[in-house]
Every structure is written in structure tokens, then in C-alpha cells.
Amino acid sequence: MQKVFIFSYIACLFMLMGYLFHCEPLVNRFEDVQDAQMYSAKEIQSVSTDVDTLKCMTWNIRFGAARVPWFGDCCGDRVILSESEVIENLQQIADFINAVKPDILFMQEVDVESKRTAYIDEVQWLLDHTYFNYGCYASMWESQFVPSDGLGRINTGNTILSRWKIENAERIQLALRGDQDALTKYFYLRRNMLKARIEIQGLSNFYVIALHLEAFSTDDTKKRQIERILEELDALNATQSFFVLGGDFNLIPPGSDSTDFCDEDKCAGESFHGPKDDPLHKEGSYFGLEKDLMQPLYDNYSSAVPLADYLGNQQYYFTHTPNYNGFWDRKIDYLFTNLKWILGSDSTYQEITAQRSLSDHVPVSAKLEVSHE
Amino acid sequence: MNNQSKINVLLLFLLLVLLSINIIAENRTWSSGTAYLLPPGRWELGLFQSLRYGISETKEISFHPLFMFVIPNGKLKIAHQDLGKFQFASEHSLNYPTILLDLISRKGTGGIISPEFKIPPMISSTNSVLLSKPLGDNSSVTAKLGLMIAVKFGDLDKRTTIDLPIVFPRLNVFYNNYGFKYGGDLRGKIWKNLNYQVDVDLFHFPGADEKLAMEHKGLLLWNKSQRFQMCLGYELTYGEYPFGTQWHLLLPLIDLQWAWAKQ
């Protein structure tokens, strides 16, 4: 009788485990190309696909942390925000979006299930507090537990929000950093491109791409990531598909006056550029070896902020600073297309600091003309 | 927790302590998790199991020596009057986790809790009653009911939770001040020196945002002798966490256990 019990127990247990388990890994390492996660708003608002212009915006929202002195990116000590802090910041982000009214919004550093932001699904939250109907999400960092600095569980990445239905959304893996030890690399970010198709009258085969390149690498990681991006854009171009790309490239435009921000970005007690300093430059603050990496994008595709305009008045187009007390001091956020931007339609919303800085990045928007032939 | 609840809890605790009257107890080896006590003078120690010592026929103490420096801990098991065929015992434990939580509250690798929060001095006590009944010659079944209480000397921010299986339910008492633990254990002989043990524990925190957790363990135990035992098995957990619910399968569970008796 006991043996019957034991064997029955084991059989039931294996069936239960087989039913329950798809073995969620400690850290999601992602496939090279995989489906993105799809979202829709709780209430879908009707919207015509017959449009004359398309307003696109890109914004790194710093996971709803506004200008909190977070430990990872601005010499701060904060790690875990309270739910009320995050909701207040998201509400202000939503208010801004609702005022500017882009048709397609590319966002970076959006948390969906992270301890640092009270496990709020920020994609769903923003869908439900703006007029957007659909969204897609591609994680760049998904770990059940990061045993460092009290981060805990994290899931953060790129998002595209759209008025219109999003289809065929894919997460495309970009090159990983080559300058880390194996353990750090295992728990570290995995940058990606989020590519999707949107059906709009007059724009057949229209793709939208959100991306966020590596910030702190000291090797050729960004170069390899740019090469992969160009491969994808060139493939779309070759098949007569149209695209708009919005993202945080963590690269400055070619010809920028300043390529070295180590002194501006250094934390108390840090020292750089001296003969005994190691590293010589602060990670993420020196672009001297990367200053021309954006050139192929400017050469082959149309930037919302033309390079000539930028070079004529660089400060006017700056989109980022890690210094939570400082003004924007570099441009690393871009919109590109293989269509044509409406001349003069671009905006870099630096004035956002006048009200309240909602991120360490400002949004950039521009309009496309949609032809009806 | 309102005043009436606190009084009830205190009364229950006192009742459990006062039940330590001398009775006829059944002593068994490898009896952790049951109402049976170690034979007097016997020590048992595992790589992961606590160090246990049979003080007398009705009392047994145990503590985790590996954790003692970072989580001072101790447990007293007392045999009580048998209830019919049921062996009846109670367990009373104290834990002080603040030292360990302070150590892992740090910047950089190994920082499990964010260093922006302060962990106050705090103590937890778990008081359980256990009822064990033999099933034939070689098996037994045990039911357990426990009350967990926590006392904090300062504020504990809810953002200091460690949202991992095994850990979260055990620390949840510090965010809720009290909780209950129910469980069952079944063990017996498969063949010769090969035994089995399966148990299930339920954690229940009324009033908490994360109310429930379940842990189920299955082990094969090989008794080389009265002095050495090897265990191999798995643990299946289900819990409510701040991010939602999740199952976990922890595999393999391995333990080596030694025993010796005072001469």
C-alpha cells in the first residue's frame, strides 16, 4: 500500500511540475530575434488611419525616476523609489505626452516589473493615462534578482506606443559588451532594437524602430551595435519599406564641439585624465573614439534635426545630462527616417526643465508628411 | 494588529510554554519536523540542518551553528502529554536577523537590500504545536500549527523586502508583526535503509498585502547507520510577492547529517 502511495505521489508530482514549469531563468538572455511583448490600452479610442502628417517623438523617461539622484547614473544614493514617487512622475510624463500629442512615441528605460519602481507596469500605465491605443515592449534587462545595490527584481526596456495597431513586433538583440567579466556580463543589460509594423493609409510597409544603445562600454560595442542597426535599416530600405527610428544612441553627432564630459560627470572623489588615473576616462562620458559613429546614419537617412542645423547651434539641440543639477550638455537622442521630415517641424523640449525635469533626457519630436498617391 | 489580537497572541504563547509538564515521551532519531524528540544525550548535525541535542526525554534544543554569528537563533522543543495515539510536542524559537540584514544592505555586488534603508533591531519568535502519529511500524504522519510573532525596535521600510522564495515568507512576519504557519509531514521506509519524507508548510499573514506562501519538500533519505544520513530531494514553493505570485522549484536539495551520543 505504501509503495502504491509512493509511486502515485511521484507520478502526480511530475505531472504537476510538467504543467507548472516553463523554467523561468534567473536572468533572461533572450534569443537573437524574438517576438516583442504586446500591449493595448484598457479603452481603445477610435482613430483614422487616413492622416496627412505623422508626429513622432522619442524620449528616454529614466524609468519614471525624474531627476532623483539614482545611484547608477548620477552619483546618487537612491535605489528603490516609492510607488507614490513613481506615479507622480508618470502622471507628469503622461500630462506632457497628452499636451504634445505625438502619434508614435518611442521610449527607452521603461520599467514593467522592477522593484526599483514599485513593480508598476509603466507601459500599461502610460497606455491607460494617454490617448495611445497600442504598445509593444522589448526588455533589455530582465532578471528575477540582481544581487547588487539592493536592485532585486528588474525588467526594463524599449517601448513603442501608437495610436494605430502594432503588428509583427520583434525584439532584435544587439551586441553585448565585450569589456566585462563573465559574472558581470551575465547580470548586465542586453541592448536591443524593437521593430514593429504599423498600418497607415498611404504608408505601406511602414516600420517603427525603438532602440537604446550601450552607454558605458569602453571597447567597440557601440560600433558593432551601429553596424547591426544599419544592417536592419538597409534591409528595410532595400525592400522599399519605410521606417522611422527613435532612440537613445548614447553617441554624439559628428563634429560636436565637446567629446569629453568626464569632468562634468565625475562624482565626488573621482579623478580622471591624470597619469595615475585608472580608468583614464569615466565610463559613458568620453566619446573621443566614437565621435564619427553616427555619420553613416546622417549620410544615408534623414535626421529630424539636420546635422547642419545641429552644428550651427549645438547647445539648442542638447538632450541629456547626468548631472541632476545641470542643464542639458550633449545630444544623444535622435529620430531618423527614410521618408522626409517636414522642414522646421522638429522640437527638442529643453524647456521641460522650466516646469520640472521629468527625466535626465528631454524628448525630441518631428513631423513626417504622409503622401496619398 | 489591534489590542485584542495582541492579547490573544500573548495568551496562546503563554499556554504553549505552560504546557511543558513532564510526560512519557517517545524519542526517535532523525526526528526533526515531528513531535518526537531526540533520545537524551544524542546530537544531530547537518550541513544545512540545525545542530540538535536531546537534553532529556522531554526537552530538546537546536540552533543553526553556521548562522549563529549573523542570525543568532535557538529553538526549544518540549514533549507534552500524549493525546491518544498522538505524540504531542511544542517548539519555541527565537531569531535575530538584523545583523545579517545589515551585512547584506550595501552598495555593489552582494547588496541584497538597498543601503538607503536602515534595518532596526528586531526579533521573531515562532511557537508551534506538533502532533505525530505512527502509521504502522515504519511510518509516521505529523501535523503542525505555529504562530510567528515579530518585535521591531524601529521602523522597517516595506521596500527592504527580499522578494525571493524561502526568504520572503520568513521575513514577511517583520512587515506584518505576526503570521501563522501550518504544516504536515509524512515519512516512512521504502526499502532497507532507504526512507522518504514529504512535507508541506503554509505561511499565512492575515492583513498583509502578500498573505500566502507554500513550501513542499520531498526527500529520499539514506540511513547508512544511526550516525550518518544522506538526503536528496527537491523543494517546490509558491508565494505571493510584491510583484505577484510565482512558483519555484529548487533542485537538488542535498544534505549530509551526522549524529553522535554522549558516552
Side-chain angles (χ1 to χ4, degrees), chain A residues 2 9 13 80 119 147 149-150, chain B residues 108 110-111 116 139 163 189 216 234:
Chain A
Q2 187 168 256
Y9 166 81
L13 190 65
I80 310 292
Y119 296 112
D149 300 281
Chain B
E116 63 194 308
S139 306
D163 304 336
K189 188 171 187 168
H216 158 60
Y234 67 88

Side-chain angles (χ1 to χ4, degrees), chain A residues 2 5-6 9 13 17 20-21 24 77-82 113 115 119 144-145 147-150 153, chain B residues 106-108 110-114 116 139 159 161 163 186 189 196 198 216 234 236 242-243 246 248-249:
Chain A
Q2 187 168 256
F5 163 77
I6 290 165
Y9 166 81
L13 190 65
M17 287 186 187
L20 286 173
F21 284 98
E24 188 181 329
D77 289 324
R78 292 291 310 277
V79 180
I80 310 292
L81 280 68
S82 68
E113 193 177 84
K115 188 173 177 71
Y119 296 112
Q144 291 198 50
F145 199 87
S148 178
D149 300 281
R153 192 176 187 95
Chain B
R106 48 178 282 188
K107 292 184 181 182
I112 305 297
I113 299 174
S114 170
E116 63 194 308
S139 306
R159 291 171 284 174
T161 58
D163 304 336
L186 176 68
K189 188 171 187 168
Y196 71 90
V198 293
H216 158 60
Y234 67 88
L236 180 66
F243 56 82
Q246 193 168 28
H248 284 90
L249 176 62

Side-chain angles (χ1 to χ4, degrees), chain B residues 12-240:
Chain B
L12 186 55
F13 175 65
L14 285 172
L15 180 65
L16 289 171
V17 172
L18 287 171
L19 279 175
S20 59
I21 51 178
N22 195 20
I23 43 79
I24 300 168
E26 183 173 342
N27 301 101
R28 292 192 182 187
T29 59
W30 313 118
S31 52
S32 174
T34 70
Y36 304 110
L37 273 68
L38 286 179
R42 179 176 169 93
W43 295 86
E44 286 182 2
L45 171 68
L47 288 179
F48 301 106
Q49 284 287 326
S50 52
L51 175 65
R52 303 165 61 221
Y53 175 65
I55 299 173
S56 69
E57 292 208 357
T58 58
K59 289 188 181 58
E60 174 191 304
I61 56 164
S62 60
F63 63 94
H64 277 278
L66 277 180
F67 291 136
M68 205 51 168
F69 298 105
V70 290
I71 311 182
N73 66 93
K75 185 190 290 187
L76 176 66
K77 190 173 182 181
I78 303 170
H80 302 287
Q81 183 76 43
D82 285 359
L83 298 175
K85 290 184 182 173
F86 287 90
Q87 175 80 25
F88 176 34
S90 65
E91 283 182 335
H92 312 276
S93 69
L94 286 173
N95 290 285
Y96 181 75
T98 299
I99 300 171
L100 176 64
L101 296 180
D102 269 339
L103 277 174
I104 61 175
S105 171
R106 48 178 282 188
K107 292 184 181 182
T109 303
I112 305 297
I113 299 174
S114 170
E116 63 194 308
F117 305 114
K118 189 165 161 50
I119 309 292
M122 45 193 200
I123 298 172
S124 73
S125 172
T126 302
N127 301 280
S128 310
V129 292
L130 302 95
L131 287 170
S132 293
K133 180 178 184 292
L135 298 174
D137 288 336
N138 298 310
S139 306
S140 70
V141 63
T142 301
K144 318 170 222 183
L145 166 62
L147 170 68
M148 299 176 283
I149 304 167
V151 176
K152 300 189 297 284
F153 301 94
D155 292 330
L156 181 65
D157 196 297
K158 191 97 199 289
R159 291 171 284 174
T160 56
T161 58
I162 301 173
D163 304 336
L164 288 171
I166 310 295
V167 180
F168 185 82
R170 282 161 180 76
L171 293 179
N172 202 11
V173 67
F174 294 104
Y175 302 95
N176 195 52
N177 296 323
Y178 76 105
F180 298 100
K181 191 174 169 185
Y182 322 103
D185 176 293
L186 176 68
R187 56 185 72 190
K189 188 171 187 168
I190 298 174
W191 182 62
K192 290 188 178 176
N193 291 346
L194 192 62
N195 301 300
Y196 71 90
Q197 178 187 332
V198 293
D199 68 26
V200 63
D201 289 307
L202 287 170
F203 297 78
H204 180 215
F205 300 95
D209 291 332
E210 298 83 26
K211 290 183 171 47
L212 290 174
M214 183 279 297
E215 293 175 5
H216 158 60
K217 193 165 66 237
L219 293 173
L220 285 175
L221 305 106
W222 176 60
N223 288 349
K224 184 176 181 293
S225 69
Q226 284 292 316
R227 293 188 172 193
F228 180 74
Q229 175 173 262
M230 197 160 82
C231 311
L232 176 68
Y234 67 88
E235 182 141 7
L236 180 66
T237 73
Y238 170 84
E240 293 178 0

Side-chain angles (χ1 to χ4, degrees), chain A residues 6 31 44 99 102 118 136 142 147 152 175 194 227 245 251 289 291 338:
Chain A
I6 290 165
E31 295 166 23
I44 302 292
C136 57
E142 184 180 351
L194 170 59
E227 285 167 357
L245 179 157
L251 287 166
L289 301 175
K291 55 186 167 60
N338 62 350

